[in-house]
Amino acid sequence: MNVLKFGGTSVGKPERMKKIAELVLATPGKKIVVLSALSGTTNTLVAIGDHLLLGQKAKAEEAISTLEKHYQGFIKDLFSSEAFQAIGEEIVSRFFIFMRMLAASQFDNKGYRELLAQGELISTELFYQHLQERKISSRLLPALYFMSIDENEEPELEKIAERLKPLIGALSNVDIIVTQGYICRNHRNEIDNLKRGGSDYTASLIGSAIRAEEIQIWTDIDGMHNNDPRIVKKTIPISELTFEEASELAYFGAKILHPSTIVPAQKYNVPVRLKNTMDEKAPGTIITGKETPGSFKAIAAKDGITAIKIKSSRMLMAYGFLRRVFEVFENYKTPIDMIATSEVAVSLTIDTNAHLAAIETELKKFGTIEVDNDQAIICIVGNKIMDQQGVLTKVFDALNEIPVRMVSCGGSANNVSVLVDKQFKDKALNALNEGLFGLK
Ligand code: ADP
Ligand code: ASP
Ligand code: MG
């Protein structure tokens, strides 16, 4: 069994949705098709939710109306027969009646998350009806029946697998099972989600739960590129990556994959293939446990980083100091990305400021604290690059004109990370593209 995930742009236009039906049909065997919301929809739902939380009902209604018109236009081109036009109209009107009902209610965070779920719920229903119109046998399996997260917002992979077994077993004579990416239930059994870009994660969780042959992520680009194509002009696709390499790139900002996508796939050794919906012949990227030799493979950047420096003479020759520092972050469920230490100071980075004030207060007990917001981690990935000679020289030669705030290497053989002020992020990515890959 394969899992095929199609992202927002892959379902964002009626002709694209028709095209993915072809791609699904061309894939042999049984498959689970995971769909995102149509491109732009989740952003609009976020905007509507923000308006509603601020009590700006008129603005919310304006955005709802614009979105509704978009869907009314979409179904006109998606369905050909009158009968299915009517089905499409019924679906769209039902969703928008529900959205307006949510908007009219006491809107809170729970309502917000319900609103965010509507994008994937409507896209899968429209796609399923499109398959019905073409008489392609398929079933819609609601993700809310099996996808769940615990109180720490971590997916419950074992439970997901247990629930999926009978659900898929009951569909043994169906080759195409369609489900929603991104959405899930939380530990209170409310509708929730796997954070932005989460449909990739849904696909890898399902693929791992059912031990799929392959998890295919179909998107608008021909695989993982060596650098961020939104920032750097000349980038090239990478044909093979290991789970570790892909995981580092996803975690450190390669938007093509949700940061956690690779984790379950690696755990159960399920290959992840990245493919381009617009160019299905392009080889894309295959991510497996197999190492491919070579030096630098790719660079990614993650911004929204805060650097914290704790200076303390008490650290001098003391043991247990770092544990006490890390405990503060643990207590506030705040992960640390990079660390650098000296005899009297420790610098580290976090990617959320949700508890920054409280963390700062607690850290002040240890010494003086310096906080720098708006930093970016640039992550350079390659097969065992840290075991190769001259790697750091090449990196720092390329970054010659850029002030580097922190460096982390040696944690993994496959990665060197540097921290720069966000204003230097684009320049650093371009400089490394030229210095490490000879591309400009
Ligand atoms: P989808 O809607 O299919 O999930 P996304 O927009 O989330 O698609 O991810 C695909 C986009 O990721 C690409 O269009 C590209 O601009 C961006 N991207 C950022 N870094 C990389 C990279 N290293 N390789 C490929 N794409 C990348
Ligand atoms: N629709 C969700 C988002 O835009 C999930 C996804 O596309 O992966 O974040
Ligand atoms: Mg995405």
Side-chain angles (χ1 to χ4, degrees):
M1 212 164 172
N2 286 309
V3 178
L4 280 66
K5 176 260 171 176
F6 295 92
T9 36
S10 305
V11 292
K13 297 220 165 81
E15 65 270 21
R16 297 255 163 82
M17 206 176 246
K18 291 178 191 173
K19 168 84 182 288
I20 67 165
E22 300 296 335
L23 290 172
V24 170
L25 277 177
T27 307
K30 212 173 151 93
K31 52 241 142 193
I32 300 188
V33 178
V34 176
L35 298 189
S36 293
L38 314 196
S39 52
T41 294
T42 311
N43 286 348
T44 305
L45 295 173
V46 167
I48 294 167
D50 288 346
H51 290 318
L52 290 172
L53 283 182
L54 292 170
Q56 300 166 336
K57 294 216 172 186
K59 279 190 180 167
E61 174 49 38
E62 204 182 308
I64 292 174
S65 293
T66 310
L67 194 64
E68 187 176 24
K69 285 198 189 84
H70 180 71
Y71 277 85
Q72 283 161 345
F74 190 92
I75 54 165
K76 282 210 173 75
D77 293 327
L78 182 66
F79 298 113
S80 349
S81 66
E82 257 179 44
F84 277 86
Q85 274 299 334
I87 290 175
E89 278 163 28
E90 179 274 317
I91 293 171
V92 172
S93 74
R94 172 159 46 82
F95 270 91
F96 283 86
I97 286 169
F98 182 67
M99 274 187 227
R100 290 194 169 92
M101 196 195 85
L102 274 179
S105 67
Q106 270 291 13
F107 193 78
D108 56 7
N109 285 327
K110 182 168 166 274
Y112 196 141
R113 291 191 296 262
E114 245 172 87
L115 181 68
L116 293 186
Q118 302 310 309
E120 272 68 13
L121 289 167
I122 191 169
S123 70
T124 45
E125 213 170 312
L126 292 174
F127 181 64
Y128 172 68
Q129 291 299 343
H130 170 63
L131 296 179
Q132 290 290 99
E133 184 172 34
R134 291 175 63 177
K135 301 199 163 45
I136 300 168
S137 163
S138 64
R139 286 288 189 285
L140 194 53
L141 177 61
L144 298 177
Y145 286 11
F146 60 86
M147 193 56 76
S148 63
I149 51 175
D150 64 18
E151 59 275 23
N152 294 317
E153 302 188 335
E154 288 296 326
E156 302 177 307
L157 187 54
E158 276 73 34
K159 286 191 186 164
I160 294 166
E162 269 170 42
R163 294 184 197 114
L164 269 173
K165 222 183 237 167
L167 289 169
I168 294 176
L171 298 172
S172 58
N173 54 351
V174 181
D175 270 353
I176 303 173
I177 300 171
V178 180
T179 193
Q180 297 86 17
Y182 180 59
I183 64 173
C184 62
R185 288 198 178 272
N186 63 24
H187 70 291
R188 290 185 295 269
N189 207 27
E190 298 159 354
I191 295 179
D192 211 316
N193 61 68
L194 302 174
K195 310 261 160 66
R196 297 305 306 270
S199 299
D200 303 325
Y201 201 15
T202 302
S204 74
L205 288 163
I206 295 176
S208 308
I210 64 165
R211 312 288 194 271
E213 232 166 276
E214 204 167 275
I215 297 158
Q216 299 182 357
I217 309 284
W218 288 83
T219 181
D220 58 0
I221 189 165
D222 51 351
M224 180 74 80
H225 277 220
N226 74 306
N227 207 327
D228 192 328
R230 295 166 302 173
I231 296 169
V232 175
K233 244 195 220 142
K234 180 117 192 63
T235 62
I236 45 170
I238 310 162
S239 55
E240 290 177 52
L241 285 170
T242 62
F243 289 123
E244 284 87 3
E245 291 161 351
S247 205
E248 301 261 14
L249 291 168
Y251 185 76
F252 287 110
K255 190 195 172 223
I256 185 169
L257 289 176
H258 177 283
S260 308
T261 310
I262 300 300
V263 178
Q266 178 170 20
K267 186 168 176 197
Y268 293 105
N269 199 22
V270 182
V272 179
R273 193 181 291 277
L274 312 181
K275 291 283 285 178
N276 189 351
T277 320
M278 329 290 170
D279 180 9
E280 70 259 37
K281 299 248 159 36
T285 303
I286 180 81
I287 302 162
T288 64
K290 191 177 129 243
E291 283 182 37
T292 45
S295 185
F296 298 109
K297 285 202 175 163
I299 307 160
K302 176 172 167 180
D303 42 37
I305 301 291
T306 299
I308 303 172
K309 187 191 273 181
I310 306 133
K311 267 198 211 158
S312 169
S313 52
R314 274 195 279 155
M315 191 175 161
L316 198 67
M317 317 246 300
Y319 52 83
F321 181 81
L322 286 178
R323 181 182 52 76
R324 290 198 294 278
V325 168
F326 290 158
E327 249 169 21
V328 173
F329 291 87
E330 191 182 341
N331 292 341
Y332 291 97
K333 292 187 178 170
T334 302
I336 295 168
D337 284 335
M338 281 175 81
I339 327 165
T341 59
S342 81
E343 195 53 41
V344 288
V346 51
S347 274
L348 44 81
T349 70
I350 54 176
D351 67 0
T352 161
N353 284 352
H355 303 290
L356 182 61
I359 288 173
E360 256 188 89
T361 308
E362 298 222 9
L363 291 177
K364 277 184 185 148
K365 293 176 196 155
F366 302 121
T368 49
I369 310 299
E370 278 172 38
V371 174
D372 287 320
N373 289 305
D374 285 330
Q375 305 289 301
I377 295 176
I378 313 277
C379 170
I380 300 135
V381 164
N383 181 52
K384 305 232 163 71
I385 44 173
M386 283 313 294
D387 297 343
Q388 295 167 23
Q389 280 193 345
V391 159
L392 290 178
T393 312
K394 281 186 200 151
V395 169
F396 286 103
D397 275 353
L399 294 173
N400 191 20
E401 289 174 15
I402 294 160
V404 172
R405 164 86 161 71
M406 244 172 104
V407 187
S408 168
C409 58
S412 138
N414 301 324
N415 157 324
V416 179
S417 298
V418 295
L419 187 74
V420 299
D421 194 287
K422 190 179 165 229
Q423 60 175 308
F424 299 116
K425 180 182 100 173
D426 293 7
K427 196 173 170 192
L429 287 178
N430 278 286
L432 288 164
N433 212 44
E434 193 178 343
L436 306 185
F437 295 95
L439 296 168
K440 66 168 174 175

